[in-house]
Amino acid sequence: AKSWKACLRILHEMETKGIAPNVFHYSATISKCARIGQWKAAIMLLDEMRKRGFEPNVVCYSAAISACGKGGQWEKALGLL
């Protein structure tokens, strides 16, 4: 269950090492969050992507919606549609 935190840490460590994360890295991390319903982290990552100039793809949105659903946040999930 803690592996989603490791994914977040790796994503942010990439930047400190000069490696720019891309849509693939974000979608993989959001998908990991979705598996256990970490909806806050998933939405935060979508926001972070947009701030960095990335357009979230279908995989990112589907995973974030799934995370919201598993977390009982149906209103948040609807807001992502």
Side-chain angles (χ1 to χ4, degrees):
K2 294 182 182 180
S3 61
W4 69 275
K5 289 183 181 180
C7 288
L8 283 175
R9 187 174 51 253
I10 290 168
L11 187 69
H12 292 118
E13 283 179 5
M14 288 174 67
E15 290 186 56
T16 63
K17 298 184 188 270
I19 303 167
N22 60 31
V23 173
F24 171 79
H25 299 112
Y26 279 102
S27 67
T29 305
I30 293 169
S31 294
K32 192 66 168 175
C33 292
R35 287 189 191 111
I36 56 171
Q38 289 295 329
W39 64 273
K40 287 182 183 178
I43 290 175
M44 182 265 313
L45 287 165
L46 283 178
D47 291 341
E48 186 176 307
M49 284 181 74
R50 289 186 204 105
K51 287 178 187 171
R52 296 178 184 273
F54 295 114
E55 184 61 38
N57 60 20
V58 173
V59 174
C60 296
Y61 279 112
S62 294
I65 289 167
S66 176
C68 290
K70 287 181 182 175
Q73 300 295 317
W74 63 271
E75 291 176 337
K76 298 278 187 191
L78 286 175
L80 295 173
L81 294 175

